[in-house]
């Protein structure tokens, strides 16, 4: 879910860019050159060169390449007696001299293959003390860039006068990071890119779970907050040196981005303004506080409020829900007015009728929502329920209890009524909640959020439920795996796939709702007609609506099946045929058998028997809800046992697959996964467990004095 950062709008004006490649980028963990990675970087540079960018490179790695070569030569030329002696460390200057030629030969070969010319410029610290040298250097670089040649700089460690190059930080520059910063200012670059083996600057060592990436460095804020880990595993400086160089260059007016040189297309993504790596900019302290901080604060506030909610009694939590229901009904006119404004905008924008149907809060919907909230309020309290009691040993009792997950992030599209259901479930289950609805329901979501949070008492806090208003904030929230406990996306397959690919937080949801109804040859066809009509036309935009009608082949030419198909068409359903039905019935051929129409359309296909129907469902379905219509008990049991879907239905509409209809009060979504919760997810799906152990001073002490009984005890 990468996206442009408004603070990086200046990227569109960048022409001259300096790219510093760290040793850790161009070498593998074993010290050998990472040829594929170097090749990928050269391809990006080639593309930028072709687009008119002026690209200058600063590369490390010569000492490492030379050390590897000299160690090999020394090993080859050593006798067995030599190998028994203590091995002296190779001279760094010799390594640099040997490695520089090899490194540049590699760059030359790679760029030549890409039809790009490159050049080598070796410099030392003392060179820059000479003003004539600096002037000649600028002239040379300008000439090379005019000819579309890539200048490649490196510090000439082979003849450096610095006695302790790995420690001495005096002089004009002291490593290739500071050389890159110096060149950025000398050559008036528009951007300096420092490529590392990590994604950017973190608040602490990247390996530590608590460390978080800093997307925009503000010296006044971050200087004293950052804890650096070890220096580079192979190079001279590491992140400390990069930050020093970045601060120096950005203070001088050249923006700097530290990012990973190991990630795919990282250079291109930076220049497209995507929010990757860490940006250093002279104006950073003047910008608005970063959204990273605000979304974190929102998530932390939701967690704090949820803990206060959990501390209330069951009756107090019940009263909050009853107050929410009353508030919905009291504000119905205002809610309907805001929803009508959203619907009008959607019509004007030309949105599909299926989306507008999901968006519209029809007459009676608010009353229905209030009723479902009251139903949820009157359910048995799900929190702190004792699920299991065990006597571990004499006087040592273990209880398994239910408890809230913590903070939920729900991303949903189109349906504002989902906000009410989700919020009420979060309150009942004691969870904090962050909500992001579709932009098409912006006004509806805003008023519903306001009405609900106004009903939450001060001793809990209205920040229990946060409303996320921009798409950018979602990407930042998905990084907060230390605060947010579960993400539930309710929307398109694309939305679910994007979220799963960009977060470490557990994700619960379904990608598609490709639901089937199978009519067996033994079916009561009047019953089949009622079920099919309801499953398709009751609410065609719902994820539990029928999308594919499977029919036993023996019914292909029957008047009863024709009656069902005519009834569908009469109601305005567009019918498409699978490969077999297309030939037999002449309907237009379906583009795919795995297709969620979410509208007044469906696919019809013929199958040989119940096993063929099951195989079809497993191949083309989405494991959401599938139905069999039959009077044959054996067929029914085969279907119920073998169809691997979240909900399997026998002689009833797929539309029953719903949290409220299943008696869950409401649903936060439907999960087609196989971990934690499956099918309609109500209160129970938003809970986890914890163990409470009550003792009388017992200790383990190697289990010497403990007689384990592990005896089940009554729950109460």
């Amino acid at each position: 879910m990468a996206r442009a950062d408004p603070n990086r709008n200046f990227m569109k004006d960048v022409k001259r860019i300096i790219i510093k490649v760290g040793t850790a980028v161009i070498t593998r963990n074993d010290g050998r050159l990472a040829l594929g990675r170097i090749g990928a970087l050269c391809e990006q540079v080639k593309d930028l060169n072709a687009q008119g960018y002026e690209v200058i490179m600063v590369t490390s790695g010569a000492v490492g390449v030379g050390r590897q070569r000299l160690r090999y030569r020394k090993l080859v030329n050593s006798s067995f007696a030599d190998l028994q002696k203590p091995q002296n460390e190779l001279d760094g200057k010799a390594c640099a001299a040997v490695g520089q030629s090899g490194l540049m030969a590699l760059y030359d070969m790679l760029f030549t293959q890409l039809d790009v010319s490159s050049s080598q410029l070796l410099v030392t610290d003392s060179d820059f003390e000479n003003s004539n040298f600096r002037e000649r250097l600028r002239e040379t670089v300008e000439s090379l860039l005019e000819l579309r040649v890539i200048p490649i700089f490196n510090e000439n460690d082979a003849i450096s006068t610095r006695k302790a190059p790995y420690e001495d930080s005096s002089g004009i520059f002291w490593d290739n990071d500071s050389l890159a910063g110096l060149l950025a200012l000398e050559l008036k670059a528009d951007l300096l890119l420092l490529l590392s083996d990590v994604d950017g600057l973190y608040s602490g060592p990247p390996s530590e779970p608590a460390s978080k990436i800093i997307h925009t460095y503000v010296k006044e804020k971050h200087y004293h907050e950052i804890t650096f880990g070890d220096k580079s595993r192979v190079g001279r400086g590491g992140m400390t040196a990069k930050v020093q160089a970045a601060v120096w260059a950005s203070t001088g007016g050249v923006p700097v981005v530290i990012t990973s040189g190991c990630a795919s297309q990282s250079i291109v993504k930076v220049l497209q303004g995507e929010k990757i790596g860490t940006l250093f900019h002279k104006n950073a302290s003047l910008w608005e506080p970063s959204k990273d901080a605000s979304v974190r604060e929102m998530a932390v506030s939701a967690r704090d409020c949820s803990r206060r909610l959990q501390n209330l009694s069951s009756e107090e939590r019940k009263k909050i829900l009853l107050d929410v229901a009353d508030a919905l009904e009291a504000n119905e006119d205002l809610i309907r007015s805001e929803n009508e404004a959203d619907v009008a905008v959607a019509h004007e924008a030309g949105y599909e009728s299926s989306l507008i149907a999901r968006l519209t809060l029809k007459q009676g919907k608010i009353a229905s929502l209030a009723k479902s909230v009251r139903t949820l309020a009157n359910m048995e309290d799900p929190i702190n329920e004792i699920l299991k009691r065990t006597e571990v040993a004499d006087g040592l009792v273990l209880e398994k209890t239910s408890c809230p997950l913590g903070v939920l992030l729900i991303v949903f599209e189109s349906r504002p009524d989902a906000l009410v259901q989700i919020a009420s479930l979060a309150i009942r289950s004691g969870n904090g909640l962050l909500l992001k609805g579709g932009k098409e329901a912006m006004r509806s979501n805003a008023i519903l959020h306001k009405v609900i949070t106004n009903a939450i008492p001060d001793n809990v806090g209205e920040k229990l439920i946060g409303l996320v208003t921009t798409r950018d904030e979602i990407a930042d929230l998905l990084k907060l795996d230390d605060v947010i406990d579960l993400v539930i996306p309710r929307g398109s397959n694309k939305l679910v796939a994007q979220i799963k690919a960009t977060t470490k937080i557990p994700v619960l949801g379904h990608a598609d709702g490709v639901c089937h109804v199978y009519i067996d040859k033994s079916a009561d066809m009047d019953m089949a007609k009622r079920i099919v009509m309801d499953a398709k036309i009751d609410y065609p935009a719902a994820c539990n609506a029928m999308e594919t009608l499977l029919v036993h082949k023996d019914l292909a030419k029957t008047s009863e099946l024709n009656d069902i198909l005519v009834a569908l068409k009469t109601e305005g359903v567009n019918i498409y045929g699978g490969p077999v039905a297309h030939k037999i019935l002449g309907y237009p051929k379906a583009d795919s058998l795995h297709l969620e129409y979410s509208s007044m359309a469906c696919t019809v296909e013929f199958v040989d028997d119940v096993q063929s129907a099951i195989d079809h469902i497993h191949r083309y379905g989405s494991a959401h809800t599938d139905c069999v219509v039959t009077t044959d008990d054996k067929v029914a049991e085969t279907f119920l046992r073998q169809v691997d879907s979240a909900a399997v239905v026998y002689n009833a509409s797929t539309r029953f697959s719903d949290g409220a209809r299943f008696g869950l009060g409401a649903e936060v979504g439907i999960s087609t996964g196989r971990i934690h919760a499956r099918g309609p997810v109500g209160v129970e799906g938003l809970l986890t467990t914890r163990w409470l152990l009550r003792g009388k001073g017992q200790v383990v002490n190697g289990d010497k004095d403990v007689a384990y009984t592990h005896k089940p005890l009554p729950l109460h």
Side-chain angles (χ1 to χ4, degrees), residues 599-621:
S599 63
M600 292 287 276
C602 71
T603 300
V604 177
E605 182 59 320
F606 294 111
V607 291
D608 293 340
D609 51 28
V610 66
Q611 196 60 55
S612 297
I614 293 168
D615 292 343
H616 180 104
I617 290 168
H618 287 166
R619 182 173 182 182
Y620 299 109

Side-chain angles (χ1 to χ4, degrees), residues 48-319:
L48 296 178
N49 193 43
Q51 293 170 31
Y53 286 97
E54 297 177 346
V55 183
I56 301 165
M57 294 182 66
V58 179
T59 183
S60 299
V63 174
V65 172
R67 183 177 290 112
Q68 180 189 342
R69 289 188 173 188
L70 290 178
R71 280 177 178 167
Y72 174 74
R73 298 312 311 168
K74 187 175 181 180
L75 178 64
V76 168
N77 295 319
S78 295
S79 65
F80 181 76
D82 291 334
L83 295 175
Q84 306 310 304
K85 301 175 185 177
Q87 299 297 304
N88 296 324
E89 178 61 33
L90 294 168
D91 177 66
K93 296 186 182 299
C95 292
V98 171
Q100 184 63 39
S101 60
L103 183 63
M104 288 308 304
L106 175 62
Y107 275 117
D108 183 65
M109 182 270 292
L110 290 172
F111 277 125
T112 298
Q113 292 295 317
L114 296 168
D115 199 24
V116 175
S117 298
S118 62
S119 59
Q120 176 181 234
L121 294 97
L122 292 175
V123 296
T124 63
D125 181 79
S126 57
D127 291 332
F128 285 85
E129 296 174 357
N130 187 322
S131 59
N132 288 330
F133 168 82
R134 297 166 89 141
E135 186 177 345
R136 298 288 86 76
L137 178 68
R138 287 192 292 269
E139 290 175 355
T140 299
V141 170
E142 293 291 347
S143 297
L144 291 171
L145 293 175
E146 190 174 340
L147 294 168
R148 299 281 181 169
V149 175
I150 307 297
I152 303 179
F153 281 86
N154 196 355
E155 180 182 6
N156 194 349
D157 288 322
I159 59 170
S160 173
T161 58
R162 191 180 295 110
K163 294 181 180 180
Y166 291 87
E167 300 173 4
D168 181 12
S169 61
S170 64
I172 297 176
F173 69 87
W174 48 93
D175 55 26
N176 277 319
D177 289 313
S178 54
L179 170 59
L182 173 63
L183 290 172
L185 297 173
E186 271 304 308
L187 302 174
K188 295 180 170 51
D190 301 312
L191 177 68
L192 169 59
L193 252 182
L194 299 176
L195 299 183
S196 178
D197 57 347
V198 293
D199 293 331
L201 175 62
Y202 283 74
S203 57
S207 59
E208 295 183 2
S211 298
K212 298 298 172 186
I213 193 167
I214 297 169
H215 284 298
T216 302
Y217 179 87
V218 179
K219 186 176 181 180
E220 294 80 0
K221 176 182 177 183
H222 296 118
Y223 181 74
H224 296 292
E225 293 182 2
I226 298 169
T227 303
F228 291 102
D230 298 333
K231 77 175 189 69
S232 170
R233 60 177 170 81
V234 283
R236 181 182 304 169
M239 189 55 73
T240 306
K242 287 177 175 57
V243 171
Q244 290 174 347
V247 169
W248 179 31
S250 60
T251 302
V254 179
V256 184
V257 174
I258 299 176
T259 192
S260 172
C262 305
S264 174
Q265 294 291 300
S266 56
I267 300 173
V268 172
K269 289 177 181 178
V270 167
L271 289 171
Q272 289 174 343
E274 291 188 14
K275 192 175 182 178
I276 65 170
T278 302
L279 171 65
F280 295 72
H281 196 284
K282 66 178 182 179
N283 295 330
S285 61
L286 304 178
W287 293 339
E288 292 293 320
S290 72
K291 287 178 182 175
D292 292 344
S294 63
V295 296
R296 171 171 285 277
E297 289 166 3
M298 184 187 296
V300 170
S301 294
R303 169 154 294 188
D304 292 341
C305 292
S306 73
R307 286 171 176 160
R308 293 197 289 271
L309 176 65
Q310 293 164 35
N311 289 332
L312 299 182
S313 68
S314 177
E315 284 302 311
E316 288 173 314
R317 286 194 295 272
K318 175 180 177 179
K319 185 177 185 305

